[in-house]
Amino acid sequence: MTAQTQPRELLEEVVTSVDGGVGIVRLNRLKALNALSYGVMQKIVEAFEVYERDPSIRCILITGNERAFAAGADIKELENATVVEMASSLQMERWDRIRRISKPIVAAVSGFALGGGCELAMCCDMIVASETAVFGQPEVEIGVMPGAGGTQRLTRAVGKAVAMDMVLTGRRLDAKEALAHGLVSRVVPLESFYDEALKAAHAIASKAPMAARMAKEGVARALDMSLEAGLAYERRLFYLLFGTEDQKEGMAAFREKRAPQYKGK
Ligand code: CAA
């Protein structure tokens, strides 16, 4: 089969699709275990930004395949990079753009989530992991260290002791350990990891969009604020929701014992 005759999906390293209110991004760089090349990262960001702007999309789902979510940044691309190239490349900006996505993002992770792959999963708001998922920050083994948030997000998620072990020795966590240490939200059988993650994404998409967005922001900000400041911040977000039609609709629907019809207004 030549490149021209291959199905389109085989040629696309990042495949997007929409399922109801969920915008799906699937990493499809099979032979390189979904290594996050500059091109792949750019496509992920572009897809996220399209979903961010589309009012019909209320939650984003990112996934890989059973063998790998992503095995990290593309080492072959990085091998000969200089400090100046690294500092002036747009790669880190792409990570910042993912952080600024306001809609909830669910990661459906199976197999390797290593280095940048683990960091990408941690950028998401919820991780649904298959029993075969493996999380690690093995950069120290190739002469570097995590560079896309690994030392910061991992430490906030699992605490200093486990983060130091992972970052300094390259130790990987299996799915059960990742759950026990608070890195993932759910662990489910391999056969159903994608469906369970999609179900979670649909559950989020069925909520009032502004409420989901503000709730995401509140939890995310908890990690970098004092309790005092965080509580004040949360209160302002909470008050703000009383300016939405969806708050009136949600509470009226509860009183009238019917399903709410949210409009994102
Ligand atoms: N970059 C580029 N290619 C990669 C890759 C990566 N991160 N990870 C795997 N691949 C490629 C391999 O080179 C191989 O390709 P070829 O067949 O062309 O040689 C293919 O994927 C399959 O990999 P393996 O043959 O190694 O498969 P395995 O099952 O024996 O091992 C693995 C799997 C343990 C994940 C191993 O591939 C591995 O250790 N990968 C690197 C993991 C890593 O170090 N990640 C961190 C990268 S740096 C980073 O992410 C920096 C940051 O913070 C942003």
Side-chain angles (χ1 to χ4, degrees):
M1 206 188 303
T2 66
Q4 275 85 11
T5 60
Q6 282 180 2
R8 188 171 165 75
E9 178 163 310
L10 288 181
L11 302 171
E12 299 278 354
E13 291 187 333
V14 175
V15 180
T16 59
S17 57
V18 170
D19 186 326
V22 180
I24 300 164
V25 176
R26 187 161 56 79
L27 307 181
N28 189 39
R29 204 181 166 206
L30 298 179
K31 284 192 182 147
L33 302 181
N34 289 333
L36 302 167
S37 63
Y38 295 145
V40 166
M41 282 302 297
Q42 178 60 25
K43 284 180 190 148
I44 295 171
V45 167
E46 281 169 10
F48 279 12
E49 287 183 338
V50 167
Y51 292 149
E52 176 82 337
R53 286 192 298 270
D54 181 342
S56 72
I57 299 297
R58 297 179 172 186
C59 185
I60 298 170
L61 175 70
I62 181 163
T63 193
N65 54 58
E66 289 190 357
R67 183 157 183 238
F69 177 68
D74 189 324
I75 299 169
K76 292 163 193 167
E77 240 175 28
L78 293 179
E79 186 177 350
N80 295 313
T82 64
V83 177
V84 173
E85 282 163 1
M86 289 304 290
S88 52
S89 102
L90 290 174
Q91 186 72 338
M92 290 309 172
E93 260 178 46
R94 296 187 180 111
W95 291 88
D96 291 339
R97 280 155 71 190
I98 293 175
R99 183 163 58 89
R100 287 197 295 270
I101 296 290
S102 69
K103 294 181 182 176
I105 308 174
V106 176
V109 176
S110 180
F112 299 114
L114 301 178
C118 185
E119 289 166 313
L120 180 60
M122 290 192 293
C123 275
C124 300
D125 303 305
M126 263 183 75
I127 302 175
V128 176
S130 83
E131 285 163 338
T132 61
V134 183
F135 297 85
Q137 297 289 163
E139 290 89 341
V140 72
E141 282 162 13
I142 52 168
V144 285
M145 59 173 280
T151 61
Q152 303 304 301
R153 290 198 180 93
L154 186 66
T155 308
R156 283 165 170 78
V158 304
K160 176 189 159 187
V162 176
M164 281 290 189
D165 194 357
M166 292 173 72
V167 166
L168 292 178
T169 72
R171 180 186 158 209
R172 299 178 192 163
L173 296 186
D174 65 28
K176 279 192 183 138
E177 289 174 304
L179 183 67
H181 291 301
L183 183 58
V184 308
S185 307
R186 305 180 192 180
V187 176
V188 297
L190 174 63
E191 315 78 70
S192 60
F193 85 97
Y194 178 76
D195 291 343
E196 289 294 326
L198 185 61
K199 221 187 278 175
H202 276 298
I204 295 168
S206 71
K207 309 294 183 285
M210 274 291 274
R213 207 174 113 188
M214 299 287 140
K216 163 176 171 154
E217 195 177 331
V219 175
R221 295 296 291 269
L223 298 172
D224 51 34
M225 277 184 165
S226 66
L227 181 61
E228 192 69 22
L231 289 172
Y233 191 73
E234 176 192 81
R235 212 157 292 167
R236 284 195 290 274
L237 295 176
F238 179 66
Y239 294 155
L240 204 60
L241 290 173
F242 285 79
T244 65
E245 289 178 23
D246 283 345
Q247 172 266 324
K248 302 286 176 275
E249 167 63 10
M251 294 190 180
F254 173 80
R255 182 173 38 75
E256 293 161 13
K257 301 190 188 301
R258 62 172 174 81
Q261 297 295 320
Y262 293 123
K263 294 186 187 142
K265 290 186 180 165

